[in-house]
Amino acid sequence: SICVITMASQEAVLARLEGVTNRLEALATRIDAGGISSPAPVASGGDAAAADKPFVKTFDELLSSHFSPVETCAKACGSDVEAIVAAFKDAALENRKLLSMASKCKKPADQPTLEKAVGPLMAAMQKVDTLKDRRSKSFNHLAMVAEGAACFQWVCVENTPAPFLGDIIPGSEMYCNKILMEFKGKDEQQTAFAKSFKAFLLELQKYIKAEHTTGLMWNPSGGTDYSSGAAPAPSSIP
C-alpha cells in the first residue's frame, strides 16, 4: 500500500534534506578551494594490492542483486531517467571505491585528508542532483533518484549512519509515492521502477546497519595510501 505523508511530516523531511544539501555544498566548496582531484591510479604493490575486506564484496552483491533491477526498469522510463540512473550508479561505484580504500587504510588523521578521500563521491552525488530537471515530464522520477543519492553521504556520518538513511529515504519516498499514485493501473513499468529504486535504498540501509553500524569501517592497522580506492570495481558488477 502507498504510504501517506502528512504536510507536517513532508515539511520536516524537506527541512532535513535542505540541511543535507547545505552540508554537501559546503563540503564541495572546500574541496574546490583546495584544488582536490580524483585519486590517481595506484601502482602495483603496497596497501592497494591487499585484498578487500568482505564488506566490499557484500556491497558488490548489493549492487548486482538490487540495483540491476533499477537499471532494467529505467529503460522503459525515458532517456532522462536512464541518464540520472547512470549518474546514480557512478556515485554508487565511487562509494564502492571508498569502501575498498577504507578496507585497506586507517581513518585519515585530519579533515583535509578525509575530504580528499570522499571528494570524488561528493562530486558524483552533485552530478546526480544537476540532472533533476523540473521541465522534464518525468520530474518525479528524477527527484526520487536525486533525493536518494543523498544517502551516499552516510560515509561522513559517525555513530549513526543507518539512522541517517532513515532521515533521507522519506524524501525520496515522497516522489516514489507520487509515481505510484500517477501510474497505478496505467503503466506498471513506471511503478516497477519506483518500487525497485525504493527497495534498493532500503537494502542499502540494511547493508550499512550490518556492515558499518557506527560509521564507515576503516582499517585500524591499515596504511595511509588514500589513492587505493581508485581501483575499479570488478567486471561482475553490471
Side-chain angles (χ1 to χ4, degrees):
S1 61
I2 297 174
C3 172
V4 178
I5 300 179
T6 66
M7 183 63 69
S9 63
Q10 178 175 328
E11 290 177 352
V13 167
L14 292 176
R16 289 195 295 271
L17 287 172
E18 183 177 0
V20 170
T21 300
N22 290 339
R23 292 195 298 274
L24 178 57
E25 290 176 348
L27 177 57
T29 299
R30 293 197 298 273
I31 291 170
D32 291 339
I36 294 170
S37 59
S38 299
V42 182
S44 60
D47 292 337
D52 286 325
K53 296 291 185 181
F55 63 71
V56 181
K57 181 179 179 181
T58 304
F59 187 79
D60 291 342
E61 293 169 351
L62 169 69
L63 293 183
S64 179
S65 298
H66 298 285
F67 191 70
S68 293
V70 177
E71 293 180 288
T72 300
C73 292
K75 295 177 182 178
C77 298
S79 59
D80 49 353
V81 177
E82 283 191 90
I84 200 170
V85 167
F88 185 96
K89 183 176 182 180
D90 288 342
L93 293 178
E94 289 295 345
N95 194 162
R96 196 264 181 204
K97 292 177 186 178
L98 186 61
L99 293 174
S100 179
M101 179 196 300
S103 76
K104 302 177 180 70
C105 299
K106 62 184 64 177
K107 185 176 181 179
D110 56 77
Q111 190 67 19
T113 304
L114 178 60
E115 289 178 3
K116 183 176 181 178
V118 303
L121 174 57
M122 297 298 110
M125 290 169 58
Q126 283 193 309
K127 175 64 181 299
V128 177
D129 194 62
T130 64
L131 296 175
K132 187 176 65 175
D133 186 356
R134 288 189 173 275
R135 298 167 299 178
S136 172
K137 65 178 182 179
S138 301
F139 173 72
N140 288 332
H141 300 60
L142 305 183
M144 178 183 69
V145 176
E147 300 298 344
C151 288
F152 291 125
Q153 203 179 12
W154 75 268
V155 299
C156 299
V157 179
E158 295 185 348
N159 300 323
T160 57
F164 170 77
L165 263 70
D167 287 337
I168 299 301
I169 290 175
S172 177
E173 185 179 22
M174 180 174 65
Y175 293 102
C176 172
N177 290 337
K178 289 182 179 181
I179 297 170
L180 296 180
M181 288 186 287
E182 179 180 357
F183 292 102
K184 183 179 181 181
K186 301 174 184 177
D187 189 338
E188 294 305 315
Q189 291 178 314
Q190 308 295 325
T191 59
F193 171 70
K195 290 176 181 178
S196 66
F197 187 77
K198 177 183 175 181
F200 171 75
L201 295 185
L202 293 175
E203 290 298 327
L204 175 62
Q205 184 181 31
K206 290 179 184 177
Y207 164 80
I208 294 168
K209 183 177 181 180
E211 303 289 347
H212 306 273
T213 308
T214 58
L216 179 59
M217 291 294 293
W218 296 90
N219 185 342
S221 59
T224 56
D225 180 5
Y226 297 108
S227 64
S228 60
S235 58
S236 59
I237 299 178

